[in-house]
Amino acid sequence: MLEVKLAGYNADADIIEKLKKEGWDGKNNISPETISAAYARISRDPRRVDELRADSLVEVDKARKSNEAIVFKMGHHSVAEHAYLNFDILGLSRLAVESLQEARLCSYTEKSQRYITLEGDYVVPAEFSAAEKKIFRDMVGRQVAAYVKLFPVLHEYRKKQYPEQLATKSGHNLLEGWAKEDARYALALATECQLGFSSNSRNLEHIIRKLKYHPLAEVRLLGEKLFSATKQIVPSLIILSDPETFKKQFGKDVSDGILKTGYAAASKAVKAVKIPSSKPVSAKFEVMLVDWTKDPDMKIIAAMTQAYSGKSYEASLRAAKKMRKNEITGFYRTIFRDLGEHDSLYREFEDVNFVYEVILSSSAFAQLKRHRMMSISKQPYDVSLGYTVPPSIIETKQKDIFTGIMDETESAYAKLAKTSPVAAEYILTNAHRRRVLLNANLRELYHITRLRMDWHAQWDIQNISAQMAAVTQEAAPLSAALACGKDKFEKVKAAFFKAGK
Ligand SMILES: Cc1cc2nc3c(=O)[nH]c(=O)nc-3n(C[C@H](O)[C@H](O)[C@H](O)COP(=O)(O)OP(=O)(O)OC[C@H]3O[C@@H](n4cnc5c(N)ncnc54)[C@H](O)[C@@H]3O)c2cc1C
């Protein structure tokens, strides 16, 4: 008979501490690692799963040993994914958040800069000398002063532009949010933010190992703090990030391999690739499609035929290639007929990939990087790529203040970069740009465009995602035809069917 038992769930750490203080007799057992240990035994122990769990709950030491043997000696690492942890992270710079969020299989919720009141809090990089700190602090002070000047102007502008919004509190907040969102383009990447971060123990271990070798001291400190916050809670599941315990348990040093040397090795390897010094074509575009699965419309038909006809992929592809134009159009009309704006596309839309080179502001990057189902390779921020000016700054004739602060920022950056090239990035702003390479499948592109081309999304990311949709539609006119914001979906779908594409 089917049984589903709730085996565990996130409990607030304050409640757990309260239980401990009140003398709960199983106080040492409050750890998600007992669940991992129980599940780790499932494949070899004939007992019921709930019995295994009850057992590991009373014998935590045994459960820990079992984790060490099964997870680390045998290599059954996925059992560590059953132990889940949540963290409040405060006072981390915008720049450092980027390194944490490289871990794609975790969950993040950040306090939106649209809704916070700027307190002027920022991280002072530990790398800087006293003289560098002075340059840095002076510059941040000037950026904050520019923010303080820009915000009321932008706010008044929005109020005049959308007076109807002033009738409600949420409308008021919306207009204030838009103004804050644009004024913050003048602020540094050193600005502090807050976030909720949740991860299973396997990912957490990987993150801690990776952050340990990061070039920024703040990011290394974050790794240490994550480690010390979890060391007592899930010690048996994060051994690779704990060199001392690893050595004690396994009698050898943990190898961090390319986590430690990867950057240097990659930099050395790419020296062999001789690139002429002429400007790349992609420098002219914000979004450029640089590679993709050829014949994507055809490949999706082939993949779906394979999945739903019982025939091989090779036979399906051959048959798809013989289809006439009206048959291909008919195929997409059939599969799109019942598609709603909240429905996922068929899984076979993951069988085609698009690689984009994108030049975007830090602000747009902060949003784009949150889409976890794609691969992102990022370059450092690059002042030669310019900066993004919010249209409202131009419309309110504040461009001089804005460009003035950008010029000053770039000269402070140049001074800092001479002696501290990596930490100098902290002084660059939300407007500064970088070049990234994105590899997304078509199913994820649909997801991105639904959220980010929607009117609720911020203008900068709307612009980038709309360009991604446009270049994809050129390569995949049928399969990508309905990639658009949620708010426009019904219209775009109706146009697709009307055009009889
Ligand atoms: C208008 C708007 C406002 C926003 N405001 C904020 C904000 O204030 N603060 C903030 O932090 N973020 C904010 N976001 C970001 C948002 O919360 C998402 O993190 C971001 O849009 C990425 O999308 P996603 O999580 O749906 O999916 P992606 O990461 O793009 O993944 C695609 C799909 O894969 C699945 N998926 C991926 N990872 C997981 C997982 N770990 N568990 C379960 N399913 C998963 C989901 O089905 C998801 O839809 C905002 C986004 C929008 C559009």
Side-chain angles (χ1 to χ4, degrees), residues 408-441:
E408 287 179 45
T409 298
E410 287 175 17
S411 74
Y413 170 77
K415 278 185 209 154
L416 295 168
K418 269 188 204 150
T419 40
S420 296
V422 182
E425 269 195 334
Y426 277 101
I427 200 62
L428 294 179
T429 65
N430 285 311
H432 281 96
R433 298 173 143 213
R434 67 166 15 137
R435 192 188 275 120
V436 298
L437 195 68
L438 309 175
N439 188 342
N441 65 55

Side-chain angles (χ1 to χ4, degrees), residues 107 109-110 112 370-373 444 447 451-452 456-457:
S107 304
T109 300
E110 281 167 75
S112 166
R370 295 289 302 282
H371 291 281
R372 295 159 290 179
M373 293 288 145
E444 174 68 349
H447 183 68
L451 294 182
R452 302 302 188 171
H456 288 95

Side-chain angles (χ1 to χ4, degrees), residues 442-459:
L442 190 51
R443 201 176 186 209
E444 174 68 349
L445 180 84
Y446 264 93
H447 183 68
I448 294 171
T449 54
R450 274 181 187 169
L451 294 182
R452 302 302 188 171
M453 285 174 71
D454 184 82
W455 80 270
H456 288 95
Q458 189 250 2
W459 57 267

Side-chain angles (χ1 to χ4, degrees), residues 322-363:
K322 285 190 189 143
M323 285 169 83
R324 289 194 300 269
K325 201 170 168 231
N326 65 327
E327 289 173 325
I328 295 172
T329 311
F331 181 96
Y332 283 100
R333 288 167 75 92
T334 305
I335 63 167
F336 283 159
R337 190 157 314 270
D338 292 330
L339 187 75
E341 76 263 35
H342 297 291
D343 299 333
S344 284
L345 271 291
Y346 289 90
R347 188 171 283 258
E348 290 69 31
F349 277 59
E350 292 179 16
D351 286 316
V352 299
N353 273 275
F354 297 88
V355 183
Y356 312 86
E357 188 159 68
V358 182
I359 294 174
L360 76 180
S361 70
S362 156
S363 183

